[in-house]
Amino acid sequence: MAGLSSFFRTILVRGPWLGLLLCCTLLLAVPALAQDDDPTPKQQLAQIDSTLKDVERKRVDAEATETLGTLSENASQAKRDAEALEKTLQPQLDQLNEQLTQLGDAPKDTTEPPELAAQRRTLTRQRDALVASIAQAKSSAVRAQQLSADIDKQRNAQRTEELGQKVASPLSPALWTKVAERLPIDIARVAPLAQLGRDALVAGIRTHGWGTLLLGVVAALVMMFPLRLWLRALGRRFAASERAPDGRLRRSGLAMWLLLVGTLLPGYAVVVLMAALGAIDAIAPRLQVVAEGLETATFRAAFIAALSACMLVPQRPSWRLLNLDDTAALKLRKYAWGAAALAWLSTVLLAVDQATRTSDVTTVALDGVIALTYLGLIMAMLVTLARLHRRQTAEAEAKLEAQADGLGAQLPVRRGSWLVLARVAGNIAVVAAIIATLLGYVNFAKFVNQQLIGGSIVVLAATLLFKFVDDFSTWLLNADSKVGQTILLSTGLSVSKLEQAGVLLSAMLRTLVVLIALLALAAPFGNIGTIVERIASLANGIVINKDLTLQPGRIVTGVLVLLVGMGLTQLLQRWLTDTYLPKTELDLGARNSISTIAGYVGIILVGLWALTAMGLNLKNLALLVSALSVGIGFGLQAIIQNFVSGLILLTERPVKIGDWVKLGDQEGDIKRINVRSTEIQVSDKSTLIVPNSELITKTIRNMTMGNNQGRIQIQFAVPASTDVASLRQALLDAYGAHNTVLQQPAPSVYIDSIAGGQITINSFAYVASPRQVYGTRSDLYFSLLQILAERNIPLSTPTDIHITRDPEQ
């Protein structure tokens, strides 16, 4: 029973994916299991000091670069802990200083109350303790930083020494002669190690029984074969079903699923098996290195095999993510299996070599064999890529010839440019590794080969993640997805803005993928923790001056506040326009003015809120605005003038939406008043965009302001013999018969003048709107001509007298 509980405890520690469900079940019990008190600052400082001393002690005896890397990570973590403690204590110190400032200094001439003096002494002791703790934390952070830098220098120097170490060439007969001499001795060292493992296994089974071991073996076999195969088939069925998302996400999502299943299940199957062995104490302390090597090797090999399977997909070309034909995909798939097997075998052999402490000659020979095997594998891959490139080039030339002959469609010819880059980089690395191997620089050759294959794996994994995050982002924020439809219905955003958000999210995630890939590529050349720490130091912000620091977190917060505030402002404007203002007695122009001004006020408040969230002091903002006022006054004078004019138009409302205005020789209806300009729709349905300053500084004629009635004037001349009384009555009847002519004010007919043998008649009528003047006047002209025709009344025109000279005279 004890072995079984130890087995599950080991699974929780070393297999977090398997223990996730159990951890979630025990979340309610966490408060009861937690410690009563957090460690005090003194305890934290003591722990940091103990960590640094332990790093300094182990650094002296450290020989492997991996050990130095671990020590450097520990020193960097101690530095981060010290800085975090300093940031935690600083606000407490500021609070104590503020309290002491409020208490003031102790009076000299008078006696203060004992309670006040006791409070001052208590606060002073607390402040002194915090000052000492902060000073010690700063000192520990500096000490840890210096220690990490020294370890990195030592690690780089040691790595350079190892890469530059010259040994016997793997092709040298003298090396293999020495290996033949030392091989029996090294094999004799391996035999006791195997016997030690058997003895530990037998002792563990004798003590704890077969139950835990069999449970671990069955769980490992189930995870390795039935569960893994079933999950792979489940992913393929879902990707081919109608429930899967449309578009490219089907393909990239299935690839990610296959990568996770193919990597985690085999790796954690070995973790479960080793946990079962460790639960019954079946792993000897000397074999612990071999057990860890088996776990690392399985994860590494499983990742390589799963990545090649989901990227190449030899049996399903339509699901393939790389631009490869079936022949190249099949061959590269075999080479990928070879690379996975070689990675597993080399990792396990190195772990066994480290556990058995074999001779230097055997180690050199083993490194040489691994290097030569890597070289053979890389050369085979390069040959396959070269053949693929030749086939693609031939196909491209055939397509170009067909297009030139007019036999094929004019389609762009795709060329695999990445193949050329891969071949060039691979050839350079192979040549360098071959030369280094022949000269005896085996470590350098092995390092080059491993980095070439490792770099290729990182690039392929980054390519897969690149495609997946792009497809996921564009699918998530798409009008056709459920999430996109929910966002559109709840926020009122347009489809184009939703798609723009998807593109921006994709760009951010792809940038993160690129950073992770760069860190993975740079990891073998230095302490990755130091690199991460330098990148994370940007989170502290860029100091502009002593009162202004731009921090990425605050910038993101400010952007989020701006987006939320703009959304709330739009919701307020929509509520005013659609719900509240229509219930009032205001006209359309007044409603637009109120809604627009509310939007401007909301934008200003949201802008100030966002700047405050970014950590900008409004006093500094006022100084910045005052400093830029001169430049704004000269450079943006016209824009500011139009903006202020727009505010005047919205408040004073000399013109409003729906007014009919005349500006110079243009006239039309005002359709919209913006912050910079006003849109006027003229009679031919085109839009005249007028700067707001033109409507404020120039004379305009508002045809519908104040009195909305329109006046019609008809003036004509008739002969002096005309019966003007009957003509007047006929005109009044014609005016009254028209349905758009108002009865109040009543139409009127006047005699304007009598001169030159003709009578000038002037008449007026009114309509409800100036917009009706033109059409109504045209109708009245037709009626007037009909009346004159019925009464045989000619229209008089001025007589033109032309004096001409007789040519004969």
Side-chain angles (χ1 to χ4, degrees):
M1 191 67 181
L4 188 62
S5 62
S6 176
F7 165 67
F8 282 110
R9 184 170 59 252
T10 308
I11 290 296
L12 288 175
V13 174
R14 303 177 67 181
W17 287 89
L18 299 179
L20 181 59
L21 181 60
L22 184 58
C23 290
C24 294
T25 307
L26 296 176
L27 280 178
L28 295 177
V30 169
L33 299 176
Q35 295 180 356
D36 295 336
D37 298 323
D38 294 331
T40 62
K42 290 184 178 180
Q43 293 174 346
Q44 296 181 24
L45 291 171
Q47 180 64 33
I48 294 172
D49 185 68
S50 175
T51 301
L52 293 178
K53 289 181 179 178
D54 184 65
V55 171
E56 291 176 346
R57 182 178 65 256
K58 292 181 179 180
R59 173 194 172 189
V60 179
D61 300 329
E63 297 180 357
T65 55
E66 293 79 6
T67 304
L68 290 174
T70 303
L71 295 177
S72 179
E73 292 287 350
N74 295 338
S76 300
Q77 183 61 43
K79 175 179 177 294
R80 290 190 291 268
D81 293 340
E83 292 177 347
L85 179 61
E86 179 188 352
K87 291 182 180 179
T88 303
L89 297 179
Q90 187 63 43
Q92 301 178 17
L93 178 61
D94 297 337
Q95 185 178 3
L96 290 175
N97 288 330
E98 184 178 356
Q99 293 178 2
L100 288 172
T101 302
Q102 292 177 355
L103 290 177
D105 298 333
K108 297 180 181 179
D109 300 334
T110 60
T111 302
E112 64 177 350
E115 296 82 2
L116 190 61
Q119 183 180 5
R120 181 182 289 105
R121 288 193 299 270
T122 302
L123 293 177
T124 302
R125 285 195 299 270
Q126 294 177 357
R127 183 193 61 182
D128 295 341
L130 284 177
V131 169
S133 299
I134 291 175
Q136 187 177 354
K138 291 181 178 179
S139 175
S140 298
V142 174
R143 176 186 170 192
Q145 183 177 3
Q146 293 176 351
L147 182 59
S148 178
D150 294 340
I151 293 176
D152 288 340
K153 291 180 181 179
Q154 180 180 352
R155 184 187 180 194
N156 294 331
Q158 188 169 343
R159 182 188 295 108
T160 303
E161 183 180 356
E162 290 179 356
L163 294 178
Q165 183 180 3
K166 185 177 180 179
V167 295
S169 174
L171 303 180
S172 173
L175 174 64
W176 295 107
T177 302
K178 295 181 180 179
V179 170
E181 294 176 356
R182 297 292 304 179
L183 188 59
I185 301 176
D186 293 334
I187 294 177
R189 291 181 178 179
V190 174
L193 192 66
Q195 184 63 37
L196 182 63
R198 286 193 297 269
D199 294 341
L201 179 60
V202 171
I205 294 175
R206 185 184 305 112
T207 304
H208 301 281
W210 287 90
T212 303
L213 180 59
L214 290 178
L215 179 62
V217 172
V218 171
L221 291 176
V222 170
M223 293 174 62
M224 179 69 76
F225 297 105
L227 183 58
R228 180 175 62 89
L229 297 178
W230 178 76
L231 290 176
R232 285 167 59 90
L234 179 65
R236 290 194 179 98
R237 286 198 302 269
F238 179 79
S241 65
E242 296 180 355
R243 295 178 300 168
D246 297 331
R248 300 176 302 176
L249 186 59
R250 288 174 178 259
R251 189 172 62 174
S252 58
L254 177 60
M256 285 296 300
W257 174 256
L258 295 178
L259 177 62
L260 292 176
V261 171
T263 302
L264 296 179
L265 288 179
Y268 280 113
V270 178
V271 170
V272 168
L273 182 59
M274 293 299 108
L277 293 173
I280 62 174
D281 298 329
I283 301 178
R286 191 175 175 186
L287 291 175
Q288 190 65 38
V289 178
V290 180
E292 295 177 356
L294 281 172
E295 295 176 1
T296 304
T298 305
F299 272 109
R300 188 175 299 173
F303 181 77
I304 296 174
L307 181 62
S308 62
C310 66
M311 294 292 287
L312 298 175
V313 196
Q315 304 300 331
R316 296 176 176 85
S318 59
W319 293 89
R320 191 173 300 148
L321 296 177
L322 298 178
N323 184 21
L324 299 172
D325 54 24
D326 295 341
T327 304
L330 287 171
K331 290 186 177 181
L332 290 178
R333 181 79 173 101
K334 296 177 182 178
Y335 297 146
W337 277 104
L342 182 59
W344 187 90
L345 183 61
S346 61
T347 305
V348 172
L349 288 178
L350 290 177
V352 172
D353 180 70
Q354 184 178 358
T356 55
R357 301 182 181 91
T358 57
S359 60
D360 295 338
V361 176
T362 304
T363 303
V364 170
L366 179 62
D367 292 339
V369 170
I370 293 175
L372 292 175
T373 309
Y374 272 121
L375 278 176
L377 183 64
I378 294 173
M379 292 175 66
M381 290 182 180
L382 290 176
V383 171
T384 301
L385 292 178
R387 292 176 180 175
L388 174 62
H389 181 65
R390 286 196 295 268
R391 286 197 301 270
Q392 290 184 348
T393 303
E395 292 175 359
E397 292 177 354
K399 288 182 180 180
L400 291 176
E401 292 178 359
Q403 292 177 5
D405 297 337
L407 299 178
Q410 297 295 325
L411 298 176
V413 178
R414 297 180 60 184
R415 298 178 182 271
S417 58
W418 68 273
L419 293 176
V420 179
L421 297 177
R423 288 179 57 200
V424 171
N427 289 328
I428 293 175
V430 166
V431 171
I434 291 175
I435 295 175
T437 303
L438 295 177
L439 295 178
Y441 296 98
V442 178
N443 290 333
F444 178 77
K446 185 175 69 172
F447 179 78
V448 170
N449 295 331
Q450 291 177 348
Q451 297 314 310
L452 182 60
I453 293 181
S456 302
I457 294 172
V458 170
V459 171
L460 289 176
T463 302
L464 175 57
L465 281 176
F466 212 76
K467 293 179 180 293
F468 174 73
V469 298
D470 184 32
D471 298 342
F472 178 77
S473 302
T474 53
W475 168 81
L476 183 67
L477 298 179
N478 190 281
D480 297 332
S481 65
K482 294 182 179 180
V483 177
Q485 292 175 0
T486 303
I487 295 176
L488 290 177
L489 293 176
S490 59
T491 61
L493 292 175
S494 62
V495 176
S496 61
K497 290 183 178 180
L498 182 66
E499 293 177 351
Q500 291 174 10
V503 173
L504 292 177
L505 178 61
S506 173
M508 294 173 58
L509 293 178
R510 285 186 291 176
T511 303
L512 180 61
V513 170
V514 172
L515 292 177
I516 294 175
L518 292 177
L519 288 176
L521 292 173
F525 300 95
N527 185 5
I528 190 172
T530 305
I531 300 175
V532 174
E533 183 179 355
R534 291 175 182 176
I535 296 177
S537 64
L538 297 176
N540 297 328
I542 302 175
V543 179
I544 305 300
N545 53 44
K546 64 178 182 179
D547 297 328
L548 180 59
T549 302
L550 295 180
Q551 297 182 357
R554 290 186 175 181
I555 292 176
V556 173
T557 303
V559 172
L560 293 177
V561 167
L562 182 63
L563 294 177
V564 173
M566 294 298 293
L568 295 176
T569 302
Q570 291 182 359
L571 291 177
L572 175 62
Q573 280 188 292
R574 190 178 300 120
W575 177 78
L576 288 174
T577 304
D578 300 337
T579 305
Y580 176 72
L581 292 177
K583 301 297 188 296
T584 63
E585 298 179 355
L586 299 174
D587 57 11
L588 182 61
R591 299 176 197 172
N592 177 76
S593 298
I594 294 175
S595 175
T596 306
I597 292 177
Y600 292 156
V601 173
I603 291 174
I604 294 174
L605 293 178
V606 168
L608 295 176
W609 185 19
L611 293 175
T612 305
M614 292 173 61
L616 296 178
N617 193 345
L618 295 182
K619 294 181 179 180
N620 297 332
L621 181 62
L623 294 175
L624 180 63
V625 171
S626 62
L628 296 176
S629 59
V630 177
I632 292 175
F634 286 101
L636 304 177
Q637 182 178 2
I639 296 177
I640 295 178
Q641 182 181 5
N642 290 322
F643 176 77
V644 176
S645 300
L647 296 179
I648 294 175
L649 291 177
L650 293 173
T651 52
E652 294 186 358
R653 300 178 64 205
V655 294
K656 58 184 181 298
I657 293 179
D659 284 352
W660 181 20
V661 298
K662 288 187 176 181
L663 181 63
D665 58 348
Q666 299 289 340
E667 63 178 75
D669 299 323
I670 294 181
K671 292 298 181 181
R672 184 178 301 171
I673 300 177
N674 298 317
V675 66
R676 189 194 65 84
S677 61
T678 298
E679 299 178 7
I680 300 177
Q681 186 177 10
V682 296
S683 57
D684 60 355
K685 302 303 180 182
S686 63
T687 301
L688 182 68
I689 300 177
V690 181
N692 290 331
S693 59
E694 296 287 324
L695 301 178
I696 296 297
T697 58
K698 291 188 177 180
T699 302
I700 63 172
R701 183 179 180 183
N702 193 335
M703 306 294 293
T704 55
M705 183 178 180
N707 184 14
N708 291 330
Q709 294 178 354
R711 192 185 72 163
I712 299 173
Q713 179 182 10
I714 297 178
Q715 189 175 16
F716 60 95
V718 295
S721 59
T722 305
D723 186 0
V724 293
S726 61
L727 178 60
R728 178 176 180 272
Q729 187 61 40
L731 288 176
L732 292 176
D733 293 341
Y735 288 155
H738 201 282
N739 57 356
T740 60
V741 175
L742 300 177
Q743 299 300 321
Q744 291 294 333
S748 57
V749 178
Y750 302 98
I751 295 178
D752 191 64
S753 64
I754 302 175
Q758 60 183 8
I759 301 173
T760 303
I761 303 297
N762 198 359
S763 61
F764 299 94
Y766 294 89
V767 291
S769 172
R771 307 179 194 281
Q772 300 176 350
V773 170
Y774 188 83
T776 304
R777 183 172 55 191
S778 176
D779 294 341
L780 293 177
Y781 272 136
F782 281 109
S783 300
L784 173 63
L785 293 176
Q786 185 178 0
I787 292 172
L788 295 178
E790 291 175 352
R791 287 167 171 73
N792 294 322
I793 301 175
L795 289 174
S796 297
T797 57
T799 303
D800 293 337
I801 300 176
H802 299 276
I803 301 176
T804 60
R805 183 182 298 274
D806 188 0
E808 295 180 356
Q809 296 179 358

